[in-house]
Amino acid sequence: MNLRYVLSRLLGGLLTLLLIVTLTFFALRLSGDPIQVLLPDTTPQEVVELYRERWGLDQPLAVQYVKYVVGIFHGDFGLAFSDGRSALQVVLERVPATAMLALAAIAIGVICGIGGGIVAALNRNSAIDRAVIAFAVFGYAVPNFFFGILLILLFTVKLGWLPSSGSGTIWHLIMPALTLGLWASTPLARITRASVLETLGQPYMVTVRAKGLPYYYGVFRHALPNAAIPIITILGLNFGTLIGGAVITETVFAWPGIGRLTVSAVANRELAIVQVIVLFVATIMVSINLVVDLLYTWIDPRISVVSGRQK
Amino acid sequence: MRIEAATGIKPDYRSRSATFWLCTGYLALVTSAAILAMFIAPFGYNDQDLLQRLKPPSFLGGPSAHLLGTDQLGRDVFSRLLFSIQTSLAIAFVGTIIGAAVGTSLGFVAAHFGGIMDRAIIMLIDMQAALPFIILALAALAIFGNSFIVFMVIVGIHSWETYARLIRAAVLSANSSDYVTAMRIMGASPWRIYIRHVLPNVAGILIVQITLSFPAVILLESGLSFVGLGVQPPSTSLGLMIGSGRDLLTQAPWLALAPGLTIFLTCLSVSMLGDKLGDKLNVTLN
């Protein structure tokens, strides 16, 4: 793997993050004086000045900005208004729940999406194919919160099998994971089917058959690896969709993760927490994009050579 | 959620015309319901009748005055649905137009000026791509507070980067084409070339992209309203209706089902028509 390529990707990712930090900083300052948000209107002027001084708000904007960025590198994101705990702490506490939900959802998404797409492509125009297409088309149009509600209506209200909200047992995980996973799997199914169909029609597949190799050998050894690039792209993009979807899904099922924390933090205008979440999500997304980029070059070495030449 | 819808498979239906008419008919129905809401609705959307709380729809044995039943305050669900469709469609419509206008302009600017301007816009596009839009929207709501204007702007800038990317690429390729060179030799000003010649040539891409982002904008609006951070009561929207119906699923499932089905069918119709339009205009995005 080309080291220069890796480094340039890494640098690009860091730049994106710095840009997001910068925009957050200026948006926060634009939104008004944090002192006025925090302290009651009747606070004496000396106290206001004291707070200003303590938080460095009396310094020039450039100095504040540098301090802000340095603080972030030291893990200092400010305090939550409600209980004065570190905002980072508040967010990190919620990570396990969301990670669990996301992993389960990704597993469901990959199995149903990629699996469904491959099966559909290998059985083109069959009943299975039609079912997968219908699933992909319908899935795009169903709001995931509505799908979650339909699941609750079926499994909780009608059948009484699963708890409608909360967390703690594996039973609580099933419906949120299904909601998020199936929702994320519809684009995967579409792209996998299209991509596999395309490789199946390539001349090298005819060669494989002509050499007398078994059909499924050709499929697994040649068609699927060549179909992988667009699938991985969508899988990477899907992470973003998944995180966005988690905000809503966690609210539907009262799942105690980052998504629900985001909603309540926004409702209460807990800026420190919101800012940690934005940076947290952006870091994850940038890392995933990086991994996806590196996966490309591993799957198809031509990519790093070509983009290396462009630089 | 865009690329796959664009490059993905087209639904392979036996009778294309039937689907086409179903989708068009449904959209016509929903649009006229939205426009004529105040004339069709039998009740005001906030008229309470506490004696008629949580009545089921009339076809499920409820009172005949309330076609789709009533909610926990005895408000007529059918009337609320009509006004919700009005709000949600209006927001989605204006939002989509704003997004298309902003994105298209930035795409033109990036392609025309190139250099630093191009770099800056590409950087913004990359940054936007690094954050799920809903997180960005929520951050903006936290920072600027929830007012209708803020909400509208947020919904409006949704998917600007897709338009910008598409239009930038289209303009760059048009700029190197022979017909643009010919125009330039004849002495046409750049803006004349863009408005009169390039824009009509990229209109197909633009229209197909609009049919893709319209459902996305509806889902964004209803999602934010669902969690209580979008349209605020006493106004009503489809997402808000589902949100308040969620707590009453056991007693009154129709409260969430009616608006949910409406969103689903609307998004389905728009994206299926968009697919067909894409086939017809022979547009491949990305």
Side-chain angles (χ1 to χ4, degrees):
Chain A
M1 203 180 284
N2 190 331
L3 188 68
R4 229 182 105 193
Y5 177 74
V6 177
L7 280 180
S8 79
R9 287 286 150 181
L10 205 63
L11 207 67
L14 283 178
L15 247 166
T16 311
L17 282 183
L18 188 66
L19 196 66
I20 290 174
V21 169
T22 310
L23 279 185
T24 328
F25 172 79
F26 285 107
L28 282 172
R29 288 297 173 271
L30 262 180
S31 69
D33 195 342
I35 299 285
Q36 278 176 359
V37 180
L38 260 184
L39 302 176
D41 288 342
T42 50
T43 318
Q45 193 58 34
E46 307 90 78
V47 179
V48 172
E49 291 304 324
L50 195 73
Y51 268 90
R52 243 180 238 289
E53 204 174 315
R54 183 191 282 178
W55 287 351
L57 289 169
D58 51 346
Q59 287 163 329
L61 209 59
V63 177
Q64 286 186 40
Y65 172 68
V66 172
K67 281 197 167 168
Y68 176 81
V69 175
V70 171
I72 281 176
F73 274 104
H74 288 91
D76 173 18
F77 292 89
L79 306 175
F81 293 158
S82 57
D83 50 6
R85 288 190 304 151
S86 138
L88 185 63
Q89 181 94 39
V90 174
V91 174
L92 287 181
E93 272 170 14
R94 301 292 194 105
V95 171
T98 296
M100 194 157 108
L101 176 60
L103 284 179
I106 290 168
I108 293 173
V110 166
I111 292 170
C112 297
I114 299 185
I118 292 176
V119 171
L122 293 180
N123 300 285
R124 195 178 188 180
N125 290 331
S126 67
I128 299 178
D129 188 23
R130 272 170 216 287
V132 171
I133 294 175
F135 169 71
V137 172
F138 280 67
Y140 182 66
V142 183
N144 60 343
F145 51 93
F146 183 55
F147 184 71
I149 280 177
L150 291 180
L151 285 184
I152 294 180
L153 273 178
L154 179 65
F155 289 111
T156 308
V157 178
K158 203 97 198 142
L159 300 171
W161 290 352
L162 296 171
S164 76
S165 61
S167 66
T169 67
I170 190 84
W171 303 109
H172 287 95
L173 181 64
I174 294 178
M175 282 200 292
L178 268 181
T179 307
L180 206 52
L182 287 180
W183 183 64
S185 74
T186 59
L188 269 178
R190 286 181 88 130
I191 213 76
T192 305
R193 179 183 176 277
S195 184
V196 172
L197 273 183
E198 202 184 314
T199 52
L200 285 179
Q202 295 292 321
Y204 55 73
M205 289 305 290
V206 181
T207 312
V208 168
R209 294 292 287 151
K211 282 198 295 187
L213 292 167
Y215 178 66
Y216 280 99
Y217 177 82
V219 167
F220 284 103
R221 188 72 186 80
H222 296 280
L224 294 187
N226 278 299
I229 292 272
I231 299 175
I232 287 176
T233 310
I234 295 296
L235 200 61
L237 283 177
N238 238 344
F239 263 89
T241 334
L242 209 68
I243 294 174
V247 171
I248 310 250
T249 309
E250 288 183 3
T251 308
V252 177
F253 296 100
W255 185 260
I258 290 186
R260 230 175 108 220
L261 177 68
T262 314
V263 171
S264 66
V266 172
N268 300 322
R269 300 193 69 183
E270 284 270 18
L271 294 178
I273 294 179
V274 173
Q275 167 198 329
V276 176
I277 292 173
V278 167
L279 284 179
F280 182 74
V281 172
T283 312
I284 292 182
M285 289 299 296
V286 166
S287 324
I288 285 170
N289 284 339
L290 197 68
V291 170
V292 166
D293 273 347
L294 298 183
L295 266 180
Y296 285 163
T297 61
W298 180 63
I299 294 173
D300 188 349
R302 284 171 298 185
I303 289 177
S304 101
V305 176
V306 170
S307 64
R309 252 185 231 141
Q310 280 172 347
K311 288 274 145 61
Chain B
M1 290 301 287
R2 273 164 241 115
I3 296 167
E4 75 286 352
T7 50
I9 17 108
K10 310 280 181 269
D12 182 19
Y13 290 97
R14 291 262 164 82
S15 58
R16 280 177 173 269
S17 57
T19 342
F20 175 81
W21 288 116
L22 268 177
C23 295
T24 318
Y26 176 78
L27 287 180
L29 188 76
V30 168
T31 316
S32 30
I35 295 171
L36 302 173
M38 61 185 80
F39 304 111
I40 309 173
F43 298 88
Y45 66 93
N46 270 329
D47 288 357
Q48 300 180 9
D49 184 353
L50 293 176
L51 294 175
Q52 296 281 322
R53 275 176 301 172
L54 296 177
K55 295 283 181 225
S58 50
F59 53 86
L60 291 177
S64 58
H66 301 289
L67 189 61
L68 293 176
T70 60
D71 68 2
Q72 67 277 25
L73 294 171
R75 297 176 295 193
D76 180 49
V77 173
F78 180 62
S79 306
R80 287 181 70 71
L81 186 68
L82 288 176
F83 283 101
S84 295
I85 293 174
Q86 189 177 55
T87 316
S88 294
L89 281 194
I91 291 177
F93 190 73
V94 177
T96 310
I97 302 275
I98 297 178
V102 171
T104 308
S105 318
L106 284 176
F108 270 114
V109 167
H112 177 74
F113 292 105
I116 280 206
M117 201 69 127
D118 192 25
R119 289 245 152 186
I121 290 176
I122 290 180
M123 212 158 142
L124 278 179
I125 292 176
D126 283 350
M127 196 194 74
Q128 170 83 75
L131 266 184
F133 189 81
I134 195 162
I135 298 286
L136 198 78
L138 289 170
L141 283 173
I143 292 173
F144 299 109
N146 188 345
S147 71
F148 189 72
I149 304 273
V150 173
F151 186 60
M152 209 52 245
V153 170
I154 289 171
V155 174
I157 57 175
H158 176 264
S159 75
W160 71 272
E161 93 279 8
T162 323
Y163 292 104
R165 208 159 32 79
L166 286 173
I167 296 299
R168 177 181 170 276
V171 171
L172 281 180
S173 85
N175 271 347
S176 62
S177 69
D178 293 342
Y179 78 93
V180 170
T181 314
M183 293 298 303
R184 212 172 279 140
I185 292 170
M186 290 198 298
S189 75
W191 294 114
R192 185 186 162 85
I193 296 177
Y194 289 145
I195 305 287
R196 296 287 302 275
H197 301 277
V198 177
L199 193 61
N201 274 302
V202 298
I205 300 181
L206 209 57
I207 291 170
V208 172
Q209 181 55 44
I210 284 177
T211 63
L212 286 177
S213 42
F214 190 81
V217 172
I218 292 188
L219 295 183
L220 175 72
E221 179 275 316
S222 52
L224 287 176
S225 300
F226 173 79
V227 298
L229 297 171
V231 175
Q232 298 294 322
S235 297
T236 171
S237 87
L238 292 171
L240 201 60
M241 278 183 85
I242 302 182
S244 58
R246 188 236 172 269
D247 304 326
L248 293 160
L249 275 184
T250 30
Q251 300 108 298
W254 58 89
L255 291 181
L257 283 177
L261 278 175
T262 311
I263 297 181
F264 166 58
L265 290 176
T266 310
C267 294
L268 188 67
S269 305
V270 175
S271 53
M272 297 233 284
L273 283 183
D275 269 356
K276 286 190 190 309
L277 208 63
D279 286 348
K280 202 145 215 166
L281 299 171
N282 203 10
V283 172
T284 34
L285 299 181
N286 270 290

